[in-house]
Amino acid sequence: MGIEGVSTYLKSGNMDTISAPPGFVSQTSFVLRNVPRDKESPRSVSRQEQTTGFGTDDKDSCNMFLKSRPWIVHGHTIPSSEALRPKKTEVRRRRPLKVSETKVLEEAPVFNPTEEEFRDTLSYISSLRDRAEPYGICCVVPPPSWKPPCLLKEKQIWEASTFFPQVQLFGIQTENRKIKKEVDADSNDAASEGVQLCRVERGPGYTLKSFKNFADTYKKSHFGMKDEVLGSENSSPSLKPNELIVADIEKEYRQIVESPLIEIGVLYGNDLDTATFGSGFPLSAPSESSKYSSGWNLNSTAKLPGSLLSLEDCESVCVPRLSVGMCLSSQFWKSEKERLYSLCYLHVGAPRVWYSVAGCHRSKFKAAMKSFILEMSGEQPKKSHNPVMMMSPYQLSVEGIPVTRCVQHPGQYVIIFPGSYYSAFDCGFNCLEKANFAPLDWLPHGDIAVQVNQEMSKTSLISYDKLLFSAAREAVKCLKEYGLSKKNTACYTRWNDSCGTDGLFSNIIKSRIKLEKNRREFLISSLESQRMDKSYDAVNKRECCVCLGDLYLSAVNCSCSADRYSCLNHMRKLCACPCDRKSFLYRYTMDELNLLVEALEGKKLSSMFRWAGIDQKFCASPATTSSKPEEDKGKETDEVTPCNITRKDVAAGTKDQTRVKARSLADILNVKDGNNDAKETLESCSKKSNRPCDNDSSEANAPKKQKQ
């Protein structure tokens, strides 16, 4: 009956009023398909009548009945057997957005310091940081009086110094997926814009003179050859090389990066060591060029008093580097090593155009680069820390990444801030010199660089902990001298602003000591502890055998391999030996590190003297010692620590420290009051304190009796 009722109701023509009762609407869709049956078999007809309620004569009513069910998929065809076979998933390159020819990048700020502002290099750069760091790069135009002589033009360097530039090949057709940009047959021009990879090879040897001749000849032939190749397609009038401006060459460079029409190759001399090749600045300060011995002379920038690199002896970051370019030679996208500051000076030649992505957009930039590497290769890329890729800065801007443009002319400086990615191209032959430096505000960036290098198992060029505690030694020394003399020197002013309870440098030291404390408490509580000797890292710095992290503060060693060390996090991966055969090496105890915090906060003058004595004894580099006040006497410096230090080591350290105090005090009193007063002072010192000072006082007075 129900079937007949539905059939009768549908025949009445009120099909639109039918709806499924609440709760009976299907949540999934399904497909109806015809099942072939034998024509003579009545089963097909009866089957249709049972499922739909209609006979063969009610075809139209049946179709209307099925159309009112939205969960039934109509017009479905049965796929073939070949279509049902599983296919290999392939990664296809995303089609980049069409880069507008009228896209304009934001210009980097340009500063014109006065003679007085230009005198102090690091102070002036520090004053620009808040305004220029959001751009990642800025340009500084020196005063008219700053015209240093270019020593590269001297015959000894210009004609004799040889270098081997790299050959940069653009638009090369190759089957290597790491070099060739994969373009589908059905792709249009918009899909081939924005990204290019080029092959880099080692070139022949050149001098500056021969390289300039080649660069000038190439610039003339390139633009002439372009007009011949393009012919009528080049609607713009041809320009002579001497008539080209920066905008014309930038347009040509953009064409090469986004969609090259011809295959070209250029030369680029990158990162030439000025210690062997020669620097453009004077190395010494003779009388006629004494004004060029300031911090703007890149030979002394890294070793300025305010730069932390003055405490480190590393040629890879302290020696300036030279770059020699030609028309359309490129500096691929990169970031400065260890996220250091970079100061670049263009000695001579044609302008250079820079593109920069600020450090605050670093994560976006890396994500975009990784996505394009994956899509262009067509497969999962191999592990690569610094992929070399030519990506149009305008394409990055379309992807939502802010890009800054900067044009540098000869005689101008460019400052690259920490964490920024940058690229550049040259408008003709030029010579550029670059130096790194690290002011105090670089420390947070350096800490991040160390963590990233450890995660990637990459060796750091500098020892961050050594640099940090060398700076702490310098800060305590300046604070101690001010506490004695009350003279407001430039050194004290620089460190006083960053020290104190809430100072930048004090907070960085606290954070590092807290991290070290947590590692020692939870990782090496069961190991035998011993202090590092001065020969531990006298030759070279120690690195973890697993993550290549710096082991300046602490390390783990095993008796099975004397020259193999690990950090506290990877002590179990050092070897398969049990823990009782491993030993924990430390440079400072936790009590000594807490004493350093007190010294930097300036709470007690005695803490500064005590830390200076400890650092002088257990650090490889010597520190300047001073006399100590009376309230510092009689206090223990080495106490029982959570590192399982034996009382024998503690007592030995206390005795040696007492000798240093007694001798320094004896020398000072001997100069001021004479020998007799010195004897009385030392005798009273031995009576007041329970320390074994009698032997020290007798040894100090022995040579004086012989003189009398």
Side-chain angles (χ1 to χ4, degrees), residues 245-261:
I245 60 176
V246 175
D248 298 328
I249 302 177
E250 186 176 12
K251 182 179 179 180
E252 176 69 11
Y253 175 76
R254 183 177 174 182
Q255 179 71 33
I256 293 174
V257 174
E258 295 178 357
S259 54
L261 301 177

Side-chain angles (χ1 to χ4, degrees), residues 23 82 92 107 121 160 200 269 302 319 342 351 360 455 478 515 528 535 547 564 573 582 614 617 645 648 653 675 690:
E82 296 181 358
R92 298 175 61 88
E107 295 291 333
T121 307
V200 178
V319 177
S342 181
C360 56
E455 293 176 358
C478 294
L515 179 62
E528 181 182 357
S535 62
C547 65
R564 185 179 172 88
K573 297 182 180 180
K582 300 179 182 179
I614 295 171
K617 178 181 178 181
I645 305 174
K648 183 177 180 181
N675 296 335
N690 296 327

